[in-house]
């Protein structure tokens, strides 16, 4: 596509029409920074994803892979500060509980919610502490560029800067669509360090299975050709 048909615009994950985001502090990060981020759509979305090839995988990866591809995704709940990886049956139960909590807040079934976690490995989630924050983050959802930036900042762990971008594309000289997203990850240096998440939204209409194939193909050509230290994570995922 010619560059003249692609224009960078302000905002990140909320730049595309119909998406809302927010971030709050739920007690996961010892710094007290925001650590729970919620992304929501006002209509059911097509969604696809690509996931870590590590043999050890977090329960959020298993959850998302079982849900996708889907044409009914309504939200994504992301926790930063605890990867909920290597936590066995308790971790699986907590992931399902997070999806139910977010689903209740968004008024949709649990299987219409994707879950992503990043942070320390081997620690169970303090569910009694973080569960009340799901309703709170839902009440703060907004479609503004500031809300998108808050989401991108909330998912950071060892990152030193917010990573987000958005662009507007004119298709066949007529229809205009927007693509926006954010990412986090600074290298899988040790089990308690960073993991990679890439989260993208668009108001383009794409069938679920076609989108899923596109995501996997492009991740194979991009993220899977990059390395910082040669390690893969338990939690890596790219969701569109």
């Amino acid at each position: 596509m010619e560059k003249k048909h692609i224009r960078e615009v302000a905002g990140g994950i909320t730049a595309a029409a119909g998406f809302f985001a927010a971030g709050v502090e739920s007690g996961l990060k010892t710094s007290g920074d925001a650590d729970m981020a919620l992304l929501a759509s006002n209509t059911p979305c097509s969604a696809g994803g690509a996931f870590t090839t590590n043999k050890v995988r977090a329960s959020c990866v298993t959850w998302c892979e079982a849900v996708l591809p889907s044409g009914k995704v309504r939200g994504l709940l992301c926790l930063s500060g605890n990867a909920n990886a290597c936590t066995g049956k308790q971790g699986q139960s907590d992931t399902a509980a997070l999806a139910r909590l977010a689903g209740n807040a968004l008024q949709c079934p649990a299987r219409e919610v994707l879950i992503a976690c990043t942070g320390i490995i081997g620690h169970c989630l303090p569910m009694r502490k973080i569960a009340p924050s799901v309703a709170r983050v839902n009440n703060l959802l907004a479609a503004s560029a500031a809300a998108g930036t808050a989401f991108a900042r909330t998912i950071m762990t060892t990152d030193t800067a917010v990573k987000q971008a958005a662009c507007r594309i004119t298709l066949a000289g007529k229809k205009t669509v927007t693509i926006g997203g954010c990412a986090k990850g600074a290298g899988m240096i040790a089990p308690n360090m960073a993991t990679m998440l890439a989260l993208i939204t668009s108001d383009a209409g794409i069938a679920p299975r076609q989108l899923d194939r596109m995501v996997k193909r492009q991740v194979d050509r991009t993220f899977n050709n990059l390395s910082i230290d040669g390690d893969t994570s338990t939690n890596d995922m790219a969701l569109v």
Side-chain angles (χ1 to χ4, degrees), residues 62-221:
T62 304
W63 175 273
C64 290
E65 199 163 36
V67 168
L68 300 176
S70 172
K72 297 182 179 181
V73 168
R74 288 291 308 280
L76 162 68
L77 182 68
C78 182
L79 300 183
S80 178
N82 186 318
N84 190 26
C86 302
T87 48
K89 291 184 178 180
Q90 183 61 53
Q92 296 172 21
S93 176
D94 289 344
T95 293
L98 287 171
R100 286 195 300 272
L101 287 166
N104 289 339
L106 296 172
Q107 299 183 334
C108 69
R111 286 187 65 82
E112 294 181 9
V113 178
L114 301 175
I115 303 295
C117 298
T118 180
I120 296 173
I121 290 173
H123 292 234
C124 288
L125 293 170
M127 290 297 291
R128 288 185 181 181
K129 179 190 294 186
I130 66 176
S133 297
V134 177
R136 188 158 53 93
V137 72
N138 179 66
N139 290 334
L140 294 174
L141 286 172
S144 64
T149 299
F151 183 101
R153 182 173 289 112
T154 298
I155 68 173
M156 293 167 56
T157 51
T158 57
D159 307 76
T160 57
V162 173
K163 303 178 178 76
Q164 64 175 349
C167 64
R168 198 150 286 146
I169 304 169
T170 303
L171 302 176
K174 297 179 181 180
K175 189 171 183 178
T176 299
V177 299
T178 302
I179 301 171
C182 62
K184 63 81 51 185
M188 185 60 189
I189 301 167
N192 62 349
M193 298 293 283
T195 47
M196 196 285 292
L197 302 177
L199 312 168
I200 299 168
T201 59
S202 178
D203 47 26
I206 308 173
R209 293 192 180 280
Q210 181 184 11
L211 177 60
D212 195 62
R213 289 194 297 268
M214 290 167 62
V215 176
K216 288 177 168 58
R217 182 172 68 247
Q218 294 306 320
V219 165
D220 199 44
R221 295 174 177 177

